[in-house]
Every structure is written in structure tokens, then in C-alpha cells.
Amino acid sequence: MKRLLQALSGEPVWPPPIWLMRQAGRYLPEYRNLRAETPDFVSFCLDPSRAADATLQPIRRFGMDGAILFSDILILPWALGRDLKFTEGHGPSLPPLKAVDEVRALDSAGFLTRVEPVLETIGLIRAELARKHPTTALIGFVGAPFTVACYMIEGGGSKEFAATRRMAAGQPEDFDRLIEVLTTTSITYLLAQIAAGAEAVMLFDSWAGLLPPSAFRRHVIGPTARIAAAIKQLHPGVPVIGFPRLAGTMVAAYGADAGVDAMGMDTASDPAVIDTLVPDGLALQGNLDPFALMQGGEVMERETRAILAAMRHRPFVFNLGHGVMPPTSPAHVAALVDLVRGG
Ligand code: 1CP
């Protein structure tokens, strides 16, 4: 079995497998060249041969144990009929979703047709992995319902996601309905990704840490558990990774109740403490500071060794605590892979 899949399934594998969030992206010159051919980011994500190429670029360079599908968490709202634009230096924008009528109008019947290019991308990636990188596993993903709801309600990125939290607190039925649509369509989408060739799946819950404990259980743990159970029912061998970013002490409840096989640790988490908060069989993934990677050299080495020492005894996948930053030198990524593989 591929080493990444072994570790995610709860088997200690050492040295640990490694891949990095945002391992495809602007820090790679070959990505910038490819990206320049398709200025519109949504079109780029929906171009199977270019999206497959972007996915494979870091694998060709560094031989990572995991390839993550090149796409975006906002492709799902786009496929549900919300207009989506990415502007250079500004990030995503969508029309802010305000009322329950707009939730009812989401096209959960038609969305699967619109993501067909993504499924085709997955097929292309698997074919090239089989030919040239047979030990690398392909990870599919969605944004977890709460995080996707944040972008849909706010209409883009935000520091506070105030409109979202206001709707969750003040219009709980509307909010539940949106989370419900996102939960059921995420299940359909992930099952389609697995059928197309994804070997593990990840749920990015980047803004989970904004919620108080009661809402965290309702909008983060609940939907994640439903998605994980639906996948387990049909594909018990496909590992599910959850990433409840900035969840603080709520990782204990998440680790116990979200039904995931593996949990991503964010940059602020102390791996030795997380280790004591979650069940022994749960694989952990993370969590080098992206800025330590950017710095490289001794800083990167010291931080990396501390994480390895804390995780030596459990199923573990080396990663960052959040995505690779654009100014990062690719040489630092190569050095990190060597360091981790040296055990
Ligand atoms: O022009 C570009 O190249 C745009 C930069 C970019 C990239 C490379 C965006 C816009 N998305 C992506 C790809 C992407 N996004 C991947 C693919 C594979 C990989 O990791 O290598 C994945 C898994 C994502 C997931 C994603 N998109 C998340 C969850 C993880 C996280 O970073 O917290 C989120 C929140 C997004 C939204 C998004 N997409 C892009 C941007 C700049 C943002 C953040 C917007 C914001 O909150 O301000």
C-alpha cells in the first residue's frame, strides 16, 4: 500500500510520508508560467490538462508522497450556481448570500455536471501517477460546509466573517439549510472524486475556529461526521482527513466525534499537546510553520525536528500548519523533504 495511505489509515510509518498544503502554487516558477496561460482562475481550475499539470508539478520536482488535486474549495458554490471571480491580489468574490430564497435556488441537481472537468482532471492525474510516480497517492478535497458557507455569505474572504456568524446566531434555520445543502452536495462530490480516482479525501475547515463550542459541534463536527460516515459506508478503505483550523481545545471533541481517520494540525497547535487530546488511532498531519519553511536553514531544521520527535510514536503525515507562502524558495521545500525522509 502507498505509504501516505498507510499512515492516514492509522499505521505508524517512519520516516513519515510528506506532502504540503498549497504545494502547487505561485512559489513554483513552472506554476506561474502555466497560470499565465489562463488568466481566469475558475477556467484554469476547470481545464483538465492544465489542472492535472499543476497538480503534478510539485510531484515531478520533489516526489511528494501525496498529490493534492489542483482545484479550489469555491468551485462547489460556483457549481451550485453562484457567480465566482478571482481577482489578482484580492482573492475570491461571490455575490453575498443573504436570504433563504437564495439557498433554495442553489442548483444541487445540476452541480455534478458542472464539476465534470474536475473529475476528468482526477483521471488524468491518476494515469500519470501510475506511469511515473507509483508511490504517490492522490488526495481529493472539498471545503467543509462551515468554511464554504463563510465565503458564500460574506461574498469573499474576511478576517471576522461577521455576516456569517450573525446569520448562524440570528437566522439559525436559514443557516442550517445552507449547511445541509453543502453537506449533501459535498458527499456527492467526494464520492464522485473517489469514483474518478481520488485515494484519500480532505475537508478544509479553515475558519472552524471562529465558532463557540455549541456552534462548533453543530456546524463543524455534525456535518463532518455525516460526510465521513457517508464515505466510510461506501468506501471504508478511503481515508478522510479533517482540518479544523484554529479550533483550539475543540480538537478533542473533533478527534473523538467527527469520524475522520486523520486530523490536520494548524500552525498554532503544539503537536505534543494535540497528541494527548485525541484518540491514539487517529493519524495526525502537520504542522510546520509556513514561515519557518520560507526562512529555511536552521530555523526550519529545528522546528521540523521538534515536530518529528513529538510524533515519532504515532501514525503521522508531515505537512505544514497552513499553505506554502508565495515567496518561499523551492530549494527550501526540497531540503525539507530530504530532512523528513532522513527521519
Ligand atoms: O492565482 C492563483 O494562483 C490563486 C491562488 C490560489 C491557489 C493556488 C487559490 C485562490 N486557490 C488555489 C488552489 C487551492 N486552494 C488548492 C489546491 C491545491 C494545493 O493545495 O496545492 C486548495 C486545496 C485550496 C483550498 C482553499 N481555497 C482553501 C482552504 C485552505 C486554506 O488555505 O485555508 C481556502 C480558504 C480557499 C479559498 C481561496 N482560494 C484562493 C485564495 C486566495 C483563497 C483564500 C481567500 C481568503 O480567505 O482571503
Side-chain angles (χ1 to χ4, degrees):
M1 204 203 286
K2 297 180 184 183
R3 289 163 47 79
L4 174 66
L5 301 177
Q6 268 178 297
L8 291 174
S9 309
E11 249 181 80
V13 175
W14 211 263
I18 175 170
W19 69 278
L20 305 180
M21 292 187 276
R22 290 274 168 99
Q23 62 189 15
R26 293 200 171 274
Y27 77 105
L28 290 177
E30 60 270 35
Y31 175 86
R32 295 194 295 269
N33 291 337
L34 182 66
R35 181 74 179 79
E37 296 169 8
T38 316
D40 177 54
F41 187 69
V42 177
S43 307
F44 181 49
C45 289
L46 296 171
D47 177 334
S49 93
R50 288 194 174 88
D53 206 18
T55 306
L56 290 159
Q57 285 176 343
I59 314 308
R60 294 184 192 122
R61 229 187 223 262
F62 311 113
M64 305 288 189
D65 296 287
I68 182 150
L69 168 69
F70 190 88
S71 182
D72 196 84
I73 63 166
L74 300 176
I75 291 296
L76 176 61
W78 170 83
L80 289 169
R82 305 304 283 176
D83 201 16
L84 171 66
K85 289 195 174 54
F86 283 86
T87 36
E88 177 85 55
H90 185 77
S93 62
L94 311 94
L97 193 148
K98 294 197 171 80
V100 70
D101 290 351
E102 291 176 288
V103 177
R104 286 206 194 92
L106 292 173
D107 186 6
S108 46
F111 94 95
L112 206 50
T113 313
R114 277 187 222 112
V115 295
E116 260 164 28
V118 179
L119 307 176
E120 196 183 318
T121 304
I122 290 174
L124 294 177
I125 300 165
R126 276 303 297 277
E128 181 157 338
L129 290 180
R131 264 198 314 272
K132 297 191 182 146
H133 311 277
T135 60
T136 301
L138 177 60
I139 305 162
F141 71 90
V142 291
F146 176 69
T147 287
V148 174
C150 280
Y151 287 93
M152 291 176 81
I153 293 166
E154 222 74 27
S158 160
K159 282 207 181 77
E160 288 283 347
F161 289 97
T164 308
R165 293 152 79 186
R166 192 169 177 183
M167 192 197 267
Q171 293 164 256
E173 271 118 56
D174 292 359
F175 196 75
D176 278 345
R177 202 179 292 256
L178 176 57
I179 293 286
E180 170 68 23
V181 173
L182 293 173
T183 301
T184 55
T185 51
S186 293
I187 290 169
T188 306
Y189 190 22
L190 288 175
L191 291 174
Q193 291 186 29
I194 293 166
E199 298 168 277
V201 294
M202 179 150 165
L203 277 71
F204 286 91
D205 222 339
S206 305
W207 302 106
L210 293 175
L211 292 170
S214 57
F216 185 95
R217 289 180 200 278
R218 178 163 168 171
H219 302 307
V220 171
I221 295 179
T224 301
R226 274 182 63 196
I227 294 169
I231 289 167
K232 293 283 139 200
Q233 197 183 354
L234 288 172
H235 302 282
V238 173
V240 178
I241 313 165
F243 182 44
R245 199 170 72 93
L246 302 175
T249 59
M250 290 308 287
V251 298
Y254 189 95
D257 300 333
V260 298
D261 300 282
M263 189 182 79
M265 300 180 287
D266 59 51
T267 306
S269 295
D270 181 339
V273 176
I274 302 283
D275 183 43
T276 65
L277 292 178
V278 302
D280 289 340
L282 185 79
L284 291 175
Q285 174 173 283
N287 72 339
L288 181 69
D289 177 13
F291 291 87
L293 174 63
M294 197 194 292
Q295 189 61 36
E298 267 176 50
V299 171
M300 175 175 92
E301 209 172 307
R302 189 178 62 231
E303 297 292 320
T304 299
R305 290 199 195 285
I307 294 167
L308 291 172
M311 292 288 105
R312 183 70 182 87
H313 64 285
R314 67 179 299 149
F316 176 60
V317 174
F318 198 94
N319 205 310
L320 301 179
H322 204 186
V324 179
M325 302 299 297
T328 302
S329 161
H332 294 183
V333 175
L336 176 66
V337 172
D338 281 350
L339 184 61
V340 171
R341 295 227 165 113

